[in-house]
Amino acid sequence: MTKWVILIVCLLVVFVLCGTLHRPRALRLEEATEKFKLPNSPPAFYINLSRDIENRARTERTLGKVLPRLQRVPGILHPVGREGCRQAHVAAQRAGLQATQPGQYYIVLEDDAKLNVDSATFSRAIEEAQASGADLILLNIQNYPRDVLMRKTNNPSFYRLFGGVGSGLSYMVRHEFGQRLIEHWNKHPFEHIDVTWQALWPQNLVLVHNPLLFLHHVGPSTTGDTLWRTNNDPVTQNFEWNKVKLM
């Protein structure tokens, strides 16, 4: 009888020990599934008018998840929309220059930008963009595939841009190129930044990612001289890569 009691006690001890050893393992698995965080995330600046409170909240709620160093740059309200847009983008370059050192990158966004890819794709794209050595990486372009001038690079996800289409919605800037953008845009007041900066592209390394990392939200627009953007607006559409004739 005593042997059976000892055996039962031993079995109970084994079960208790197994349960105890299992708990830490479960905790470790929980810790391993923490929220996604972008490694080596560059500073990012989104342009937002003070009156656009909803856009500000949406941008910080959605894009803050993949851009942990996201900061607001006040938009500039101007009777001529494209001039307010130009001044705000110049201010964003100055903020980016202050936050980075030579060789580093920063991101500029408008507050109607929305993510067009999953977090993992976005993370890889930003890491590759920072390693590219490019002067400028557009994270969105308008859907004018027959006008764009581009060619392939040795990375199938990046194409080199020479002109034909642009977008100030979202882009990444190398520190050294930021000052050039400021100087160039200041020479072209009251003109669209989407158009004027293309003069710099042939002499500099400008890339665009396929797929586009950001798209425009459909709805009101107050950073340019358009009041409302619809699904029919090429600015809000995804880019039709299959219609491009590469250089």
Side-chain angles (χ1 to χ4, degrees):
M1 186 68 178
T2 305
K3 291 181 180 180
W4 286 107
V5 172
I6 294 172
L7 180 60
I8 292 171
V9 171
C10 290
L11 289 173
L12 288 172
V13 171
V14 170
F15 285 131
V16 171
L17 287 174
C18 287
T20 303
L21 290 173
H22 180 71
R23 287 192 194 100
R25 185 180 179 187
L27 289 174
R28 286 196 295 270
L29 287 173
E30 281 186 16
E31 291 168 0
T33 56
E34 63 183 2
K35 291 182 179 179
F36 173 82
K37 293 179 181 178
L38 183 67
N40 301 321
S41 176
F45 304 89
Y46 73 96
I47 298 169
N48 168 256
L49 289 169
S50 298
R51 69 185 186 186
D52 290 337
I53 299 172
E54 291 184 8
N55 284 7
R56 178 177 182 176
R58 181 186 63 200
T59 299
E60 294 187 352
R61 182 181 68 253
T62 58
L63 302 188
K65 295 177 181 179
V66 294
L67 294 169
R69 300 174 66 187
L70 185 65
Q71 300 179 49
R72 177 179 177 270
V73 171
I76 297 175
L77 200 57
H78 194 281
V80 180
R82 58 181 175 272
E83 175 60 12
C85 180
R86 184 193 69 84
Q87 292 181 23
H89 277 268
V90 168
Q93 305 314 309
R94 293 195 175 107
L97 289 173
Q98 290 180 353
T100 56
Q101 300 294 326
Q104 296 178 338
Y105 289 86
Y106 57 90
I107 293 174
V108 176
L109 304 155
E110 294 176 355
D111 67 1
D112 48 0
K114 65 177 181 179
L115 201 61
N116 188 44
V117 295
D118 59 75
S119 298
T121 300
F122 184 80
S123 174
R124 287 194 300 270
I126 296 302
E127 287 291 299
E128 290 179 334
Q130 290 180 96
S132 69
D135 298 297
L136 176 69
I137 305 99
L138 270 66
L139 310 181
N140 169 273
I141 53 175
Q142 300 154 356
N143 189 32
Y144 296 109
R146 292 182 175 86
D147 297 334
V148 70
L149 300 174
M150 68 166 61
R151 70 184 182 203
K152 292 181 178 180
T153 69
N154 59 2
N155 185 328
S157 296
F158 288 93
Y159 289 75
R160 181 169 180 179
L161 282 171
F162 292 88
V165 67
S167 172
L169 178 75
S170 53
Y171 54 96
M172 181 184 295
V173 184
R174 185 178 172 89
H175 176 94
E176 293 88 336
F177 195 66
Q179 187 59 43
R180 290 204 64 188
L181 280 178
I182 292 173
E183 294 170 358
H184 184 75
W185 281 335
N186 281 341
K187 293 177 182 177
H188 297 274
F190 294 94
E191 296 183 52
H192 285 290
I193 63 165
D194 293 353
V195 176
T196 58
W197 66 350
Q198 292 183 40
L200 298 174
W201 295 3
Q203 292 78 36
N204 296 277
L205 181 54
V206 180
L207 304 178
V208 60
H209 189 271
N210 178 13
L212 299 182
L213 300 186
F214 289 96
L215 293 180
H216 263 279
H217 275 285
V218 172
S221 176
T222 52
T223 55
D225 55 0
T226 299
L227 297 178
W228 191 273
R229 299 193 186 280
T230 69
N231 285 316
N232 295 323
D233 191 333
V235 172
T236 65
Q237 297 171 358
N238 214 336
F239 191 71
E240 296 174 283
W241 298 91
N242 60 318
K243 296 183 179 180
V244 175
K245 289 186 177 181
L246 296 172
M247 297 173 63

